[in-house]
Amino acid sequence: MDVGSVTAVSVAVVGVVGTLLSALLTQRAADRSRQRERERAELARERRGELLEVRTCYVALNTTTRQYLAALTDQVHALRRDGSGPVRQRLTDARDQHRDVYAEAQLRVPDPVLDLAGQLSRELGTVYGMVKRLDAGAPREGDSVTSAQERIDALWRLLREMRRRMRAELGVPATAGGRTAEHALPPRAAASDTDRGDSGPATSGTRRGTDGRER
C-alpha cells in the first residue's frame, strides 16, 4: 500500500472516530441537560410541598388565634354580666388548641412570622391569666375587665399584622391602602409563670369587637 493510500485510510479513520466522539459528546450533553431538568423539577416540587405545608400552618395559626381571642372576648363580656357559664370551657379549649398549633409553627414557619406569633402567644397567655383571676374573684393589682379588653383589642391589631407578614412570606400582594398594625400593647399586668406560658388555639369565624368592626 502506497503512502497515498495509507493517508487516505488514516483520514477516513479519523473522520469516523471524530463522528463517533461527536455523537457521544452530544449524547452526554443531552443526558446532563435532562438530569438538570429533572433536578430542577424535583426542587420545584419540593418547594411547592414546603410552601403548602407552611400555608397550612399559617391557616391553622390564624384560625386558632382568632378563636382564642374570640373566646377571651366572650369571657370578658360574660364577666361584665356577672356570669361565665359554658364560656369558661370554650376558652380553655381554645387555649389548648392554640398551644398545639403554635408548637407546630415553631418548627415550620420562618422567623419574621414566628416572632409575631411568639409575641401573640405570650400576650394571650398574660390576658388569659388576668381573665381567669377575675373570673375566680382573685384579681391582682392592675387586673380589671377594662384592662383585659384593652389588651384584647391590641392583640386583634397584632393578629392583623401577623396576617400581613404571612401573606408577604407566601408572596401574596399587599392590599391597597393597607395600614401597619400598632405594635404597642398596654402595660403588662403582673403574671405568674404559668400565666406567661404558650397560649391555646381557636377555630371561630368572623368576630366583631366592641366597636362593631370585623376582627
Side-chain angles (χ1 to χ4, degrees):
M1 183 179 294
D2 59 22
V3 174
S5 298
V6 171
T7 301
V9 171
S10 299
V11 169
V13 170
V14 169
V16 171
V17 172
T19 299
L20 293 174
L21 286 175
S22 177
L24 179 60
L25 292 174
T26 299
Q27 181 62 41
R28 287 183 176 178
D31 290 343
R32 286 195 297 269
S33 179
R34 284 192 292 270
Q35 179 63 26
R36 287 193 294 269
E37 286 298 323
R38 285 193 294 270
E39 291 172 354
R40 282 194 290 267
E42 181 62 27
L43 287 173
R45 282 193 295 271
E46 291 177 1
R47 177 59 177 162
R48 285 194 296 272
E50 291 170 359
L51 284 175
L52 181 58
E53 289 178 357
V54 170
R55 181 184 181 280
T56 300
C57 191
Y58 282 172
V59 170
L61 188 58
N62 176 60
T63 300
T64 56
T65 303
R66 285 171 60 88
Q67 290 180 339
Y68 195 175
L69 279 168
L72 282 168
T73 300
D74 290 345
Q75 179 72 69
V76 168
H77 291 168
L79 289 173
R80 288 196 175 104
R81 297 192 302 269
D82 297 323
S84 295
V87 179
R88 291 190 185 96
Q89 187 58 49
R90 189 162 69 249
L91 175 57
T92 299
D93 292 344
R95 177 180 182 266
D96 292 344
Q97 188 180 355
H98 179 271
R99 174 177 288 172
D100 291 343
V101 171
Y102 175 64
E104 181 177 356
Q106 288 177 305
L107 302 178
R108 290 184 181 275
V109 307
D111 288 343
V113 173
L114 187 58
D115 289 344
L116 289 171
Q119 185 180 355
L120 268 166
S121 180
R122 290 188 296 273
E123 293 296 333
L124 283 165
T126 297
V127 178
Y128 177 86
M130 181 189 297
V131 169
K132 294 297 283 186
R133 290 192 297 272
L134 290 168
D135 187 36
R140 296 178 183 174
E141 182 179 356
D143 289 352
S144 70
V145 170
T146 299
S147 176
Q149 186 61 62
E150 288 175 351
R151 299 188 73 87
I152 289 170
D153 291 342
L155 285 170
W156 280 113
R157 294 193 293 271
L158 187 58
L159 174 58
R160 287 196 292 271
E161 172 62 15
M162 185 175 74
R163 279 200 299 267
R164 279 193 285 271
R165 189 64 61 84
M166 288 174 173
R167 289 167 62 88
E169 291 291 333
L170 292 173
V172 179
T175 56
R179 294 176 299 174
T180 300
E182 300 173 29
H183 289 280
L185 292 165
R188 177 176 300 194
S192 66
D193 290 342
T194 55
D195 296 334
R196 299 176 189 273
D198 297 342
S199 359
T203 40
S204 72
T206 298
R207 305 292 302 186
R208 295 185 181 275
T210 53
D211 56 3
R213 291 181 298 180
E214 181 177 321
R215 300 301 192 184

